[in-house]
Amino acid sequence: MELLNKNICFDGEQRIYQTQSQTLKGPTKFAVFIPPQALNGQKCPALYYLAGLTCTEETFIIKAHAQRLAAQLGLILIAPDTSPRGDAVAQGDSWDLGQGAGFYLNATQAPWAEHFQMESYIVEELYPLLIQELPIQAEAIGVFGHSMGGHGALTLAWKYPEKFKSVSAFAPICAPCECPWGEKAFSNYLGQDRIEWAKHDATQLLLTKGPLFDEVLIDQGTDDQFYSQLNPEKYQQACEQVGQKLSLRFQKGYDHGYYFIQSFIDDHLQFHAIQLQK
């Protein structure tokens, strides 16, 4: 872990690190907010935030304004990049494929498979590394995210409930098998077998594995310009079908951007703080 940058923030530290990832086969960056409690030697709960399309490890830490309450609650915030990067890494022909659009899965198709292993990077490489290197309570780690990252949070939580003890999302892609963003990404990264696609679809995972968490929190803006891609009602119906408690809150007038996230970030941090204390 090479420390690239460190700034004092609400008596904690906002850091950016770089590592040479074996999984992604190249350098990758991630941001970590260390609350003051952790700087003073206390082990703290941690939250992974997975960002959306076109974002980097800096998007959340600059735009979400999460550090103030995280410092009060004693939460470590971890924000990985959204994809592998570099000249040797395949790039798509548009903003919603390739670099900046890793979709938090392991690609199986060329040219993506060589580097695009974001699922394994987060849960098999970054997760144990940070438990080893940072004052994290290993039994108190949650995950949340926005848009593509909301998809990542919901899917990784259901795939790895032994790692993540709480989950929430802002405007997640709830049924990627049934929207253009998901169809484009899945067909390129995973091929044409829709059975494989379903293994990375939050709604399908929920229907297959059933309820795994005490509660899931999702916020969705009613004026979201990408609403047709997101399908929160399909996820809500699946939760009702299997008996998973869901708090799906439709926020009137809010769009898809970070002013929306800023407005409700405190609710999500408090939600995770409560869930991770259980």
Side-chain angles (χ1 to χ4, degrees):
M1 288 172 56
E2 177 189 359
L3 181 62
L4 299 181
N5 196 26
K6 178 176 71 174
N7 297 95
I8 297 296
C9 183
F10 295 104
D11 294 323
E13 289 183 357
Q14 181 61 65
R15 304 173 181 175
I16 295 180
Y17 289 98
Q18 181 170 280
T19 60
Q20 290 294 323
S21 170
Q22 295 182 353
T23 309
L24 305 181
K25 297 183 179 178
T28 188
K29 297 177 184 178
F30 56 90
V32 179
F33 175 70
I34 305 292
Q37 297 89 333
L39 292 180
N40 292 328
Q42 178 181 332
K43 285 199 170 185
C44 293
L47 270 179
Y48 279 77
Y49 177 85
L50 307 181
L53 289 163
T54 75
C55 294
T56 73
E57 76 286 345
E58 289 191 297
T59 309
F60 173 74
I61 65 173
I62 293 172
K63 292 186 175 183
H65 300 181
Q67 293 93 336
R68 177 192 60 81
L69 187 57
Q72 294 178 20
L73 295 173
L75 290 172
I76 295 172
L77 302 178
I78 302 158
D81 200 351
T82 54
S83 77
R85 305 277 180 177
D87 294 339
V89 177
Q91 179 60 288
D93 58 1
S94 61
W95 59 273
D96 54 358
L97 184 69
Q99 296 188 39
F103 268 82
Y104 304 102
L105 52 76
N106 290 338
T108 59
Q109 304 297 304
W112 315 104
E114 183 177 2
H115 296 281
F116 281 76
Q117 304 292 312
M118 287 300 295
E119 178 178 337
S120 290
Y121 165 67
I122 289 170
V123 300
E124 296 176 11
E125 186 174 356
L126 186 62
Y127 187 101
L129 174 66
L130 295 189
I131 289 177
Q132 175 183 324
E133 297 293 334
L134 299 177
I136 291 174
Q137 282 182 255
E139 71 283 1
I141 300 174
V143 61
F144 69 144
H146 170 232
S147 193
M148 176 186 71
H151 142 79
L154 293 173
T155 56
L156 294 184
W158 251 259
K159 292 179 187 180
Y160 304 96
E162 74 282 3
K163 294 184 180 294
F164 300 111
K165 304 305 180 184
S166 60
V167 58
S168 72
F170 296 93
I173 306 173
C174 292
C177 289
E178 302 179 53
C179 75
W181 275 344
E183 290 176 342
K184 182 175 184 177
F186 287 2
S187 62
N188 276 274
Y189 296 149
L190 302 172
Q192 299 302 319
D193 185 354
R194 286 182 171 262
I195 295 176
E196 289 300 312
W197 294 14
K199 298 176 183 178
H200 306 277
D201 183 299
T203 300
Q204 295 302 315
L205 281 167
L206 176 60
L207 291 171
T208 300
K209 296 194 171 188
L212 295 180
F213 293 85
D214 288 346
E215 185 177 0
V216 177
L217 171 63
I218 293 177
D219 275 306
Q220 174 62 60
T222 60
D223 286 5
D224 192 316
Q225 59 271 44
F226 300 112
Y227 191 87
S228 63
Q229 300 259 26
L230 305 178
N231 292 307
E233 291 88 355
K234 290 183 183 295
Y235 193 76
Q236 183 179 41
Q237 292 167 5
C239 284
E240 293 171 353
Q241 184 173 330
V242 303
Q244 171 62 57
K245 184 178 180 182
L246 170 69
S247 178
L248 173 59
R249 310 190 308 182
F250 288 98
Q251 305 294 357
K252 185 176 180 181
Y254 284 89
D255 62 15
H256 197 70
Y258 267 82
Y259 294 120
F260 161 58
I261 294 173
Q262 284 179 28
S263 300
F264 302 102
I265 189 66
D266 284 4
D267 291 353
H268 284 249
L269 296 184
Q270 290 166 341
F271 169 82
H272 285 277
I274 291 170
Q275 296 295 316
L276 294 175
Q277 286 175 354
K278 295 181 179 179

